[in-house]
């Protein structure tokens, strides 16, 4: 998975000016383009989950002795997870079509043979993707627009957008490895709800802590699937064998992936929010009947069930009610706080360490970039306010605010 942070967008772009950067063909232009990425569970970890034998079901008397091939749990045909992958790819293609790098950026685009589908310059976006302005236009999470213009739908649309080819590839591989196994076990309805609601929960938490940002990515939903795998194992503990080994492996994978979020330019709040949303949803959506329970509809003709156990254990009902209450209360409070424009960092001064821990090797603070632009005939003189560097560009390369913004970010960062 790519570690390099894109310039000018990503997956979490944090302007420090309190809103989208302003640009003009003359006067002062201020931009801040320090990206913060959402990193999906790594492909290696996702592959380990897929390759890891799921906790094998304990042989039931009905399976091992008398009823031959009869099995109590249906195996579903998987189609929704592949459909999600196709939808994400289609959305990325549409985004690149709208981006139209040759028209909006000029001759510095990558992959010029792709025409209007070519990528932004590597300095702006090393993930091989569109500009931050295009992502904002397509529905990226922009806090100012959600709080001032009530565009809360961006909390969902940002999950279906990606910052580049590398970002899309790692997320979709993880979704295939993790999601197909879950859909086979529990069906498309429950896994579809789990994916969408977890992605929404990750966006809500990210918006509350990283408010001055442009955000896209499906990693919150992917961490929700990991959280649901853990809660499903806990909720259905009595029907599984080799459960301790499975739990330790799963916890290790989760901890490693969450630990990646303390690196700079990675939005760990989306990961944490998605994980806990999925963890609670697992107790609500993925509960199975206890070992020893037999449905009367499943008993072959001629057999009589002498003792009937309840379908679920008491602790399963308790977890179901408790998790549902926490989900409703959590989402309600989060959306209310978001609508009021509350910054949760004001109430938790150390919470920002959950997303980035500063070290001698990196700085977690967003970098400010300011440019002075002056038009001289058919040329534009761009000067970096901090370093004093200047360069002259043809007017065609900086004839609108978006192009000026990108030039400033590329030249002065």
């Amino acid at each position: 998975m790519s570690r390099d942070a894109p310039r000018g967008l990503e997956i979490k772009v944090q302007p420090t000016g309190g809103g989208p950067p302003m640009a003009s063909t003359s006067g002062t232009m201020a931009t801040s383009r320090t990206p913060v990425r959402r990193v999906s569970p790594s492909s290696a970890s996702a592959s380990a989950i897929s390759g890891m034998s799921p906790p094998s079901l304990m042989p039931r008397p009905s399976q091992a002795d008398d009823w031959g091939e009869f099995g109590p749990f249906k195996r579903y045909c998987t189609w929704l997870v592949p459909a999600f992958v196709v939808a994400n790819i289609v959305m990325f293609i549409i985004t690149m079509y709208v981006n139209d790098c040759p028209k909006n950026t000029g001759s510095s685009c990558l992959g010029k043979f792709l025409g209007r589908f070519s990528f932004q310059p590597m300095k702006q976006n090393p993930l091989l993707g569109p500009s931050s302005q295009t992502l904002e236009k397509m529905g990226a999470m922009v806090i100012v627009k959600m709080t001032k213009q009530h565009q809360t739908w961006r909390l969902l649309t940002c999950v279906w957008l990606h910052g580049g080819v590398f970002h899309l590839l790692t997320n979709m591989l993880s979704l295939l490895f993790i999601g197909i196994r879950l859909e086979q076990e529990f069906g498309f309805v429950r896994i579809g709800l789990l994916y969408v609601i977890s992605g929404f929960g990750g966006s809500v938490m990210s918006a509350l802590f990283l408010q001055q940002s442009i955000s896209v990515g499906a990693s919150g939903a992917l961490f929700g699937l990991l959280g649901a795998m853990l809660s499903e194992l806990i909720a259905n503990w009595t029907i599984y064998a080799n459960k301790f080994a499975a739990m330790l492996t799963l916890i290790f994978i989760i901890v490693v992936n969450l630990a990646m979020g303390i690196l700079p330019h990675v939005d760990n709040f989306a990961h944490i929010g998605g994980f806990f949303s999925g963890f609670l949803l697992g107790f609500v959506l993925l509960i199975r009947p206890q070992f020893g329970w037999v449905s009367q509809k499943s008993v072959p003709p001629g057999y009589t069930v002498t003792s009937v156990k309840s379908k679920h254990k008491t602790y399963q009902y308790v977890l179901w009610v408790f998790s549902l209450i926490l989900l409703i209360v959590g989402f309600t409070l989060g959306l209310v706080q978001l609508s009021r424009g509350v910054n949760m960092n004001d109430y938790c001064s150390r919470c920002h360490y959950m997303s980035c821990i500063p070290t001698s090797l990196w700085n977690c603070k967003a970098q400010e970039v300011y440019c002075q632009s002056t038009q001289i005939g058919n040329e534009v003189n761009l000067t970096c306010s901090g370093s004093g560097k200047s360069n002259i560009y043809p007017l065609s390369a900086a004839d609108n605010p978006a192009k000026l913004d990108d030039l400033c970010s590329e030249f002065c960062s």
Side-chain angles (χ1 to χ4, degrees):
M1 182 178 304
S2 172
R3 281 272 188 253
D4 295 329
R7 291 288 181 186
L9 70 107
E10 194 307 335
I11 313 179
K12 211 57 152 168
V13 181
Q14 280 191 282
T16 59
M22 302 300 293
S24 62
T25 55
S26 63
T28 301
M29 175 178 64
T31 67
S32 177
R33 294 295 186 184
T34 303
V36 181
R37 298 189 290 148
R38 295 181 180 183
V39 179
S40 69
S42 65
S43 297
S45 298
S47 179
I49 293 172
S50 178
M52 177 183 68
S53 298
S56 57
L57 291 172
M58 290 181 175
R60 290 173 170 74
S62 60
Q63 290 178 288
D65 300 332
D66 300 320
W67 296 355
E69 296 298 320
F70 171 77
F73 297 135
K74 178 181 178 181
R75 299 284 289 185
Y76 294 89
C77 176
T78 58
W79 64 269
L80 185 63
V81 168
F84 280 168
V85 172
V86 172
N88 278 278
I89 294 173
V90 170
M91 282 302 303
F92 182 74
I93 293 173
I94 295 174
T95 301
M96 294 307 301
Y97 179 85
V98 173
N99 186 64
D100 196 0
C101 181
K103 177 181 178 181
N104 296 314
T105 302
S107 60
S108 58
C109 301
L110 293 177
K112 297 178 183 178
F113 65 93
L114 296 172
R116 69 182 297 152
F117 293 96
S118 57
F119 308 115
Q120 293 296 118
M122 187 65 70
K123 288 186 177 180
Q124 294 182 20
N125 186 359
L127 297 179
L128 300 181
S131 66
S132 56
Q133 289 82 9
T134 300
L135 290 173
E136 182 178 336
K137 184 187 300 183
M138 293 296 296
M141 190 177 73
V142 183
I143 309 304
V144 173
K145 293 196 172 185
M146 289 191 297
T147 56
K148 303 297 183 182
Q149 303 177 24
H150 306 291
Q151 297 180 1
T152 53
W153 47 267
R154 291 177 177 271
L155 292 169
L156 282 174
T157 55
C158 69
V159 178
W160 303 93
L161 300 172
H162 288 83
V165 173
F166 296 142
H167 185 212
L168 177 69
L169 181 62
T170 54
N171 273 1
M172 293 306 100
L173 287 175
S174 298
L175 176 57
L176 286 172
F177 284 129
I178 301 172
I180 285 181
R181 179 254 173 183
L182 286 173
E183 189 178 352
Q184 287 175 342
E185 295 288 330
F186 298 100
F188 73 94
V189 174
R190 285 182 282 186
I191 299 308
L193 288 172
L194 181 61
Y195 181 87
V196 173
I197 298 175
S198 296
F200 181 78
S203 295
V204 170
M205 186 166 184
S206 175
L208 290 173
F209 284 93
L210 297 176
Q211 294 202 338
Q212 297 175 349
S213 60
I214 298 174
S215 170
V216 295
S219 57
L222 295 174
F223 272 86
L225 297 181
L226 286 178
M229 290 179 68
L230 180 60
S231 58
E232 186 269 331
L233 180 59
I234 296 172
N236 304 319
W237 190 258
T238 60
I239 68 173
Y240 284 133
N242 67 307
K243 43 202 170 189
F244 287 104
M247 173 167 282
L248 290 176
T249 303
L250 189 55
I251 290 175
F252 174 77
I253 292 172
I254 292 170
V255 170
V256 168
N257 280 283
L258 286 176
M260 293 169 62
I262 66 174
L263 296 171
H265 315 314
V266 176
D267 177 13
N268 212 27
F269 289 114
H271 302 169
I272 296 171
F275 173 80
F276 281 107
S277 297
F279 182 73
L280 294 175
L281 282 168
F283 291 123
V284 176
L285 298 175
L286 306 185
I287 290 180
R288 282 174 157 165
Q290 65 166 313
F291 176 74
W293 175 81
V294 178
S295 172
Q296 297 297 322
K297 296 180 181 180
S298 303
V299 179
Y303 284 79
T304 303
V305 178
T306 56
S307 61
V308 180
K309 286 188 176 184
S310 61
K311 186 173 184 179
H312 300 290
K313 286 185 172 292
T314 302
Y315 81 89
Q316 290 178 309
Y317 290 113
V318 172
L319 288 173
W320 189 92
V321 173
F322 184 69
S323 298
L324 185 61
I325 292 173
L326 282 180
L327 280 169
I328 295 174
V329 173
F331 276 113
T332 301
L333 291 178
L335 290 173
V336 169
Q337 297 292 77
L338 183 59
S339 66
R340 294 177 177 176
V342 174
N343 186 349
M344 293 304 295
N345 291 294
D346 296 337
Y347 302 91
C348 181
S349 60
R350 296 186 179 274
C351 283
H352 62 91
Y353 291 119
M354 291 192 296
S355 188
C356 182
I357 298 179
T359 69
S360 58
L361 300 177
W362 61 70
N363 188 352
C364 296
K365 293 182 179 180
Q367 297 178 352
E368 295 183 352
V369 179
Y370 296 95
C371 298
Q372 181 78 24
S373 60
T374 305
Q375 181 177 341
I376 306 174
N378 293 326
E379 296 178 329
V380 174
N381 183 18
L382 200 64
T383 303
C384 304
S385 299
S387 63
K389 294 192 304 180
S390 64
N391 198 11
I392 297 177
Y393 298 90
L395 183 60
S396 59
D399 57 0
N400 62 53
K403 291 183 179 180
L404 271 173
D405 193 13
D406 290 337
L407 287 175
C408 180
S409 175
E410 179 179 355
F411 180 61
C412 299
S413 296

